[in-house]
Amino acid sequence: MAAGFEAAGLTPVRMTADFGQQFKVATAAGEYTAETSGKMRHLTEHGAELPAVGDWLAAECLPGERRARIHGVLPRRSKISRKAAGNPVREQIIATNVDTLFLVASLNYDLNVRRLERYLIMAWNAGTQPVILLSKADLCDESFRLQALSEVSLAAPGVPVHIVSAQTGEGMEQVAGYFAGGRSCALAGTSGCGKSTLTNYLAGGRVQRTSDIREDDSRGRHTTTHRQMFEIPGGGVLIDTPGMRELQLWEGEEDGMSGAFSDIEKLAGNCRFRDCTHNREEGCAVREAMEDGELDSGRLSSYRKTQRELAFLERKEKSRSAAGRSAGNGKRDQRKERRDKTWLHEE
């Protein structure tokens, strides 16, 4: 692949930071400032096709300058994305080519297991390995830690869960192990959950600004404003991302649902009816497990709510696509009409 780039006068680089119109990329000669070529911007139909932090890119490094011009995005092996806020319905990419996604939740009163389930759906659908980090362990007592660990483990079957503190170093050796072999990791979570503090600890210096949480509700202040990749001593890279108070799932999250709710999906396989909705049907294994206390009612409610949300999003996207095709047909008809008039004039 590198030989093909050289033949075209292009160089493989990796995007390390996104500042909106300008990016930072890592090259063999160091870090460069980069921007997309005019042709690439013209040919790009969707924002998701533009470069994202973690992408490998085909770029032209300008001679005598520490600038690069991006001509293409190479195939992604993983893509972490969500539905962008507002309308129209569009995808927002958080990071790409990530091996492990650390889902960070602070061990305080803002800990929300239902929110973690949504992050797990995003992680499984992205093609990454999710790992949950319960941060700020130094700020809570042992009983709260054990209760949180139990609740989170039940909501995330098969997912590693670590209690960590960047202040005392507790659990950080285990986290550092995920970077072995030069692997790429990323952090995701709400504002104030400790992502930037964890980044500083793992990077071995103060590379990100931090701020304290609000004392009245234990919620964090929005500190990180852009996505950026940092080298980790000993190998590997870490992508820090801005906090997300609300995570709206992106379409096509079926794989993510199966991963995040694997316990319910397994129970559903024992239901009498294949299309069981787990409400009032006879022989529903899911409802029986809830009545027997084997399945938390809140988890089942979250499962149903997420199913409805994804179904609504799919219908909305199909409607938007149909409208786009209709508009496209109209434009084609207008072009055909202009072409016919031209031919008629020529005759």
Side-chain angles (χ1 to χ4, degrees):
M1 189 174 288
F5 288 146
E6 291 173 1
L10 302 178
T11 303
V13 302
R14 194 173 190 192
M15 184 166 159
T16 59
D18 181 358
F19 298 103
Q21 297 298 319
Q22 284 197 330
F23 316 109
K24 292 287 186 180
V25 296
T27 75
E31 194 171 59
Y32 279 42
T33 300
E35 59 183 17
T36 54
S37 67
K39 181 178 180 181
M40 182 180 179
R41 289 193 296 270
H42 177 72
L43 296 176
T44 300
E45 295 183 2
H46 307 288
E49 297 174 355
L50 290 171
V53 175
D55 271 333
W56 285 96
L57 310 165
E60 173 190 4
C61 294
L62 303 179
E65 305 179 51
R66 298 196 70 82
R67 294 193 306 117
R69 188 174 294 120
I70 302 168
H71 291 271
V73 178
L74 301 185
R76 296 159 171 159
R77 53 186 172 83
S78 67
K79 181 182 67 171
I80 304 167
S81 61
R82 66 170 179 170
K83 176 186 173 295
N87 287 310
V89 177
R90 60 184 179 87
E91 180 182 15
Q92 180 185 37
I93 296 182
I94 298 169
T96 66
N97 299 316
V98 171
D99 300 302
T100 300
L101 178 60
F102 296 126
L103 306 177
V104 187
S106 177
L107 282 170
N108 58 24
Y109 295 110
D110 195 35
L111 177 64
N112 188 318
V113 175
R114 302 284 82 90
R115 186 194 298 140
L116 270 176
E117 289 172 342
R118 298 173 70 82
Y119 279 100
L120 283 168
I121 294 172
M122 178 183 70
W124 285 121
N125 194 65
T128 66
Q129 169 62 51
V131 173
I132 296 175
L133 303 183
L134 299 179
S135 64
K136 303 187 179 182
D138 56 294
L139 299 181
C140 65
D141 57 35
E142 187 66 19
S143 61
F144 187 86
R145 288 157 55 119
L146 293 177
Q147 179 185 351
L149 180 62
S150 175
E151 292 179 1
V152 170
S153 297
L154 285 174
V159 177
V161 182
H162 302 289
I163 293 179
V164 301
S165 169
Q167 298 297 330
T168 66
E170 179 182 355
M172 296 305 293
E173 185 176 348
Q174 293 173 294
V175 176
Y178 288 97
F179 295 91
R183 295 170 69 80
S184 298
C185 303
L187 295 163
T190 60
S191 298
C193 67
K195 297 187 303 299
S196 296
T197 304
L198 291 171
T199 298
N200 289 339
Y201 184 99
L202 292 166
R206 188 176 173 82
V207 296
Q208 287 285 69
R209 188 167 61 90
T210 61
S211 61
D212 296 328
I213 61 173
R214 300 195 300 258
E215 294 183 2
D216 56 343
D217 59 4
S218 295
R219 293 187 173 184
R221 297 178 175 89
H222 196 75
T223 305
T224 303
T225 58
H226 61 276
R227 299 167 186 85
Q228 188 166 355
M229 178 189 294
F230 301 95
E231 291 186 48
I232 302 302
V237 295
L238 177 64
I239 299 173
D240 191 11
T241 64
M244 293 181 284
R245 174 56 55 190
E246 180 183 8
L247 174 61
Q248 298 188 65
L249 299 174
W250 181 239
E251 61 174 350
E253 301 279 359
E254 291 81 5
D255 293 340
M257 282 286 290
S258 298
F261 293 97
S262 58
D263 52 341
I264 296 181
E265 297 274 316
K266 185 177 180 180
L267 287 169
N270 297 322
C271 291
R272 180 181 301 177
F273 303 107
R274 183 174 297 179
D275 58 348
C276 183
T277 62
H278 318 307
N279 285 312
R280 300 179 181 177
E281 294 91 342
E282 291 290 333
C284 175
V286 173
R287 198 155 44 83
E288 290 175 3
M290 185 185 69
E291 293 170 355
D292 293 341
E294 299 175 12
L295 177 65
D296 179 59
S297 60
R299 182 159 170 78
L300 179 57
S301 175
S302 178
Y303 175 76
R304 289 168 173 163
K305 179 182 177 181
T306 306
Q307 279 189 319
R308 292 194 298 270
E309 179 183 345
L310 292 175
F312 171 77
L313 183 60
E314 184 179 2
R315 291 194 300 271
K316 197 170 182 179
E317 175 62 15
K318 285 182 178 179
S319 175
R320 187 178 72 89
S321 299
R325 286 194 299 271
S326 176
N329 290 336
K331 290 180 180 178
R332 283 194 294 272
D333 291 342
Q334 291 175 4
R335 288 195 296 268
K336 184 177 183 299
E337 182 179 355
R338 287 196 298 269
R339 187 172 64 245
D340 290 345
K341 287 180 178 179
T342 301
W343 290 341
L344 184 62
H345 177 73
E346 287 177 349
E347 291 176 351

